[in-house]
Every structure is written in structure tokens, then in C-alpha cells.
Amino acid sequence: MTTTISNPPYNMKWKHPFFAMSQSRFSFGLPPENNANYAFIQTALDKNDKAVFLLPNGVLTTSDKEEGAIRQALVENNYLEAVIQLPDKMFESTSIPTSLLIFNKHKATANIVMVDARPLAKQVERQQRGQVGGSAHTKRVYKKQINILDNDAIDQIMSLLDSPEDKEGMSKVVSIDQVKNNDFVIQPTRYISIKQEKADSSNNLKLICEDLQKISQEEAAVKLTINKKMAQDLGILGLCELLNMSADANKEINEAYKNVPDVNIDLNTDHIVTLTNNKVFKIEVKKWDKLPDIIHAFAIMWAQMSKQYNDQENVALMRLKAIMLDKYFGN
């Protein structure tokens, strides 16, 4: 059984080859020209029985019609064996969140193993030397904090792949029907149950508040003013509206908890996206009939990071609610 292991260029633009639909590798569909992620996957599976890909989390939830159809076909044909959601900030050059997707055309079961490896991450400091910018940079050593998975974490993940099981807060074995009921979204956190915290821990309450503050600050670090039609064309209009709704909800959360003992929350309430009918992005776009490649690349990465912050914020709020309910209304 042959295997491909690949970490291809992320979200790369490509050109459809001549007679693409007649090629066996595109039997599940032709990926869009603005993103080759699923082209890499299908090409590997056309030549090999197994494939392991390290790709950005956008492939797990993309709403692009062509990509969604391919993802659905891969699941329905029982090619997807496991998805491992990795911690962010694992690369020294970018903080983009990624996942490992494991494909197997000859699986023994019709299940998919979903693993969330983020709780296993450990932070380490790495030193790196500047690569460009003259001697002032190339002779300078930078220190950077990154996340890693140590040998123990890797052993835990491998154990779950070898002997799949449901583990609260970490893994879930799901059926094709379960994925179908979730619109073929293959993000592990959509299926894995949240591990409940002990409600009598004041330290947990403090940490949750700190998490919320940190996430809120990170989420508000980037503010966009964007033409509504452009946002729609880039596929981020729904996320823009969701983030603004989240900012409105933060006002209610701040008000609800402002007089609660032991809770120190001051979440961002400013809209981080302004949708306008004017031809405006955060940077000036001169060529309006065809958006520059950098805009497409930035929009994809920003959407992935913002959705991750929003998901983390929701999880932290659920943990906060559970603790508060038990603290004031529990036995």
C-alpha cells in the first residue's frame, strides 16, 4: 500500500489543465482555480492508496461550492480516515492553524477519527536568525514562542489512531451519517464533547476570564473596512456579520458580569468589521475588476484565524457559564 505525505503550498492559485474533467484524479470534482488544496489531495489519492496532508483549517469547513462537493465525495466514498486539529503557532514563520488529514482508500471501518490535539500543546522558545534585510537583520537572532507536540503528546495521538475511542475533550469516533448531518464539515471540535471544569475552583474562574480577555484582545487586533460586495465575493461576508454580532453580544456579557464577584471581564465591544458600499478595503485597491492575489490570500487567512478566535471564545463562555451556574445555583 503506497502512501503520500505532503505539506503543500497553502491556498495556492492554479490553472485548470486542458480536459481536466476527463482526468481520473478529478473524478470527485474540479477544485476552484483560486485554491489548489483539494487538487493536491485528489492528485495524491489518484496515484496512491493512502495520503497524509498538513493543510490549513479552511479545508475542514470551506463553503466554496466546488470544494464542498469534493469534501462530501471524499467522506461519502469512505476515503477520510482521521482528522487531527493541531495547535496554532506551530510554525516559526506563521501562526496559521492547521490540521492533519489522513486518507485511506481501503479502510477497515466506515468511521472517521476526530482528534483535537490543541490541549496537548506545550510552548517553547526558539531562536532564529533573520533571512533578509541586510546584515542588520541577518546577523540578529530572534526569540519566538511556538507551540509543539512532545513525544508524549504524539504517543497519545497515535494511540487514538491505532485504537479509536471517544475521549472527552480530545477525540470522537464519528460515522459518515454524523458528518452528513453536519453538512460534511470535518472540523474535530464540531464533534468532540467539551471537557467540563470543576465548578468549585476559583483558579479556573480566573483562568477563564483571562482567556476571554486575551481572545477578545486578539480578535480586536485587526479591524477591517471592506466593501460589502467584495466581502461576499471573497466568501467572508457571513463571518464579518457574525463577528459584529459577537461584539454586540459582548456588550451584554460585560453588563451581566460587571458586578459579579471574582469575575473580571471587559470584552471588546467595538465592531471589528465595517461593511460599506464604498470601494474600500483596509488598503486601497486600484484594480477593481480583478482583485490582487494578496487580497485573496489575506482574506482566507484572516477568516480562518477569526473563526478560530470566535470558536475559542464560545468554548470559554460555555465553561464560564457552567462554573457560574454551579457556583451560585449548585448544591
Side-chain angles (χ1 to χ4, degrees):
M1 185 177 289
T2 55
T3 303
T4 293
I5 299 175
S6 179
N7 178 23
Y10 297 165
N11 309 320
M12 186 181 77
K13 285 198 169 190
W14 68 304
K15 290 291 184 182
H16 291 161
F18 289 113
F19 306 110
M21 290 306 297
S22 66
Q23 298 181 14
S24 60
R25 60 176 170 153
F26 297 128
S27 59
F28 288 163
L30 192 60
E33 288 190 326
N34 67 351
N35 198 318
N37 289 336
Y38 277 97
F40 288 119
I41 291 173
Q42 290 189 98
T43 299
L45 290 174
D46 185 54
K47 298 178 179 295
N48 299 280
D49 300 306
K50 296 186 71 176
V52 180
F53 275 88
L54 177 64
L55 286 167
N57 285 350
V59 300
L60 311 178
T61 61
T62 174
S63 58
D64 179 271
K65 183 178 180 181
E66 290 83 4
E67 292 179 326
I70 296 168
R71 187 174 69 234
Q72 177 176 337
L74 290 168
V75 172
E76 289 184 328
N77 282 271
N78 201 29
Y79 280 10
L80 184 61
E81 187 165 46
V83 180
I84 305 169
Q85 190 167 344
L86 299 173
D88 64 352
K89 300 179 181 177
M90 292 194 73
F91 299 99
E92 295 184 1
S93 58
T94 177
S95 60
I96 186 171
T98 57
S99 291
L100 282 171
L101 286 81
I102 302 175
F103 299 94
N104 184 351
K105 292 158 67 173
H106 306 289
K107 290 167 57 180
T109 73
N111 295 326
I112 302 168
V113 183
M114 299 289 182
V115 179
D116 184 3
R118 293 176 303 168
L120 301 177
K122 291 186 178 179
Q123 195 172 79
V124 298
E125 185 176 81
R126 292 273 176 87
Q127 292 185 342
Q128 58 186 21
R129 190 177 298 277
Q131 301 297 313
V132 295
S135 61
H137 291 279
T138 56
K139 292 183 178 180
R140 179 182 172 189
V141 175
Y142 299 84
K143 292 183 179 180
K144 187 171 184 178
Q145 298 290 330
I146 67 169
N147 289 320
I148 66 164
L149 295 174
D150 61 16
N151 290 336
D152 180 63
I154 294 172
D155 288 343
Q156 290 186 59
I157 295 169
M158 292 303 299
S159 177
L160 290 170
L161 296 179
D162 293 336
S163 303
E165 63 173 321
D166 294 349
K167 195 170 182 180
E168 189 179 35
M170 188 172 177
S171 65
K172 180 74 175 179
V173 181
V174 302
S175 66
I176 291 175
D177 284 338
Q178 285 176 287
V179 179
K180 180 179 179 180
N181 291 336
N182 276 282
D183 297 322
F184 293 96
V185 169
I186 54 174
Q187 186 173 28
T189 50
R190 180 70 67 93
Y191 304 92
I192 298 171
S193 60
I194 299 170
K195 190 172 183 179
Q196 297 296 322
E197 304 283 353
K198 287 197 171 285
D200 59 352
S201 173
S202 298
N203 188 48
N204 280 343
L205 185 58
K206 179 183 177 182
L207 291 175
I208 291 171
C209 291
E210 290 175 352
D211 284 346
L212 281 170
Q213 292 290 99
K214 181 179 178 181
I215 294 166
S216 182
Q217 291 171 5
E218 292 284 345
E219 200 174 33
V222 175
K223 294 187 178 182
L224 297 180
T225 299
I226 184 170
N227 172 270
K228 190 173 183 179
K229 175 65 165 56
M230 183 198 291
Q232 186 174 21
D233 291 345
L234 291 172
I236 61 173
L237 179 60
L239 178 61
C240 292
E241 295 171 339
L242 174 65
L243 291 170
N244 282 343
M245 290 172 60
S246 177
D248 292 335
N250 284 350
K251 294 179 182 178
E252 299 180 10
I253 294 169
N254 288 343
E255 184 66 24
Y257 285 99
K258 69 178 182 180
N259 295 320
V260 177
D262 303 322
V263 177
N264 182 21
I265 291 180
D266 184 18
L267 303 181
N268 172 65
T269 59
D270 294 331
H271 284 191
I272 63 176
V273 180
T274 298
L275 295 169
T276 176
N277 291 323
N278 297 326
K279 293 182 178 180
V280 175
F281 197 32
K282 191 175 182 180
I283 60 176
E284 185 177 1
V285 179
K286 296 282 190 180
K287 194 174 181 181
W288 202 259
D289 58 328
K290 184 180 184 299
L291 297 175
D293 292 349
I294 191 171
I295 302 300
H296 282 286
F298 173 79
I300 292 168
M301 293 180 66
W302 175 83
Q304 291 168 356
M305 290 299 297
S306 294
K307 188 176 186 307
Q308 182 187 39
Y309 290 140
N310 192 70
D311 290 344
Q312 291 175 354
E313 187 176 56
N314 288 338
V315 170
L317 285 169
M318 291 174 66
R319 292 164 58 205
L320 173 65
K321 181 179 178 182
I323 287 182
M324 297 305 295
L325 285 174
D326 191 273
K327 185 178 182 70
Y328 291 99
F329 300 101
N331 296 327

